[in-house]
Amino acid sequence: MLKKEVLNKMNEQINLEHFSSNLYLSMSSWCKAQGLNGAASFLETHSSEELGHMYKLFKYINETGSQAIVGALDAPDYQFKDIKDVFERTYKHEQFITNKINELVELTLAQKDYATFNFLQWYVSEQHEEEALFKGILDKMSIIGLEGRGLHMIDKEIGTLVRK
Ligand code: FEO
């Protein structure tokens, strides 16, 4: 059974992972509408990864004998300036999620909940990977540029980053 404070924050994290999934799905749809098929496919896959992050929390909470809660979600944005805007926002969003995970980790330590602390280490590593992934995409955009064939090259490049 989780302590109340930890449970509440874990349930908040479920909500955040669910929102992340919807945000990336919405971004994927925008990319597809612009003919950016590589980015659309990458973001669609990433959206389902976020659902995986949500289910993992869900399962863990229920295994402890506590109750995971499916909360209400805000609608994600669906209009973006350009592909750079999309990926700047993904990077910023992942940095926000990293902060939330760090807060959770700190709380489990303060509450001496070492099992949940241990469980959360997977998320700590995952956030490190995701920040690096999105930062890498932004760096490529800066190097290649989005003018002329640059946009096509970037889109193709992002399409190759789909994690199997
Ligand atoms: Fe579940 Fe992209 O963090």
Side-chain angles (χ1 to χ4, degrees):
M1 205 75 149
L2 295 173
K3 288 182 185 153
K4 199 167 180 318
E5 261 188 87
V6 173
L7 175 60
N8 289 346
K9 215 153 168 59
M10 290 286 274
N11 273 324
E12 267 176 39
Q13 194 62 37
I14 284 185
N15 203 275
L16 288 169
E17 301 292 347
H18 202 175
F19 177 80
S20 303
S21 173
N22 283 358
L23 175 64
Y24 296 156
L25 196 59
S26 177
M27 288 171 162
S28 163
S29 177
W30 182 88
C31 288
K32 190 87 187 158
Q34 317 303 313
L36 299 165
N37 293 335
S41 145
F42 170 82
L43 287 161
E44 188 184 332
T45 306
H46 212 82
S47 165
S48 70
E49 277 190 29
E50 297 297 348
L51 281 184
H53 300 173
M54 179 187 79
Y55 290 134
K56 208 175 167 75
L57 285 159
F58 212 91
K59 189 163 173 271
Y60 177 81
I61 292 172
N62 286 330
E63 275 170 2
T64 68
S66 298
Q67 187 181 352
I69 292 173
V70 182
L73 293 177
D74 289 333
D77 286 342
Y78 58 89
Q79 280 179 324
F80 306 95
K81 220 167 75 201
D82 53 24
I83 194 169
K84 191 157 180 256
D85 181 35
V86 168
F87 283 92
E88 276 171 352
R89 291 207 212 179
T90 59
Y91 184 47
K92 210 168 146 203
H93 183 70
E94 287 303 334
Q95 288 176 313
F96 166 71
I97 296 293
T98 298
N99 283 337
K100 290 293 177 187
I101 293 291
N102 289 344
E103 283 174 19
L104 244 179
V105 170
E106 280 165 25
L107 179 66
T108 56
L109 272 186
Q111 300 269 331
K112 299 188 176 9
D113 181 349
Y114 301 116
T116 308
F117 172 85
N118 191 44
F119 165 78
L120 288 171
Q121 296 315 299
W122 183 88
Y123 288 84
V124 172
S125 309
E126 181 67 13
Q127 283 312 121
H128 172 76
E129 267 185 41
E130 293 204 344
E131 280 197 30
L133 179 68
F134 288 112
K135 172 79 168 58
I137 292 173
L138 286 175
D139 288 346
K140 279 198 180 83
M141 284 185 191
S142 297
I143 294 164
I144 300 174
L146 299 173
E147 305 303 317
R149 295 186 62 188
L151 180 60
H152 174 67
M153 278 171 73
I154 283 287
D155 183 52
K156 235 178 123 183
E157 186 75 22
I158 296 172
T160 66
L161 296 175
V162 175
R163 293 197 280 190
K164 302 284 186 284

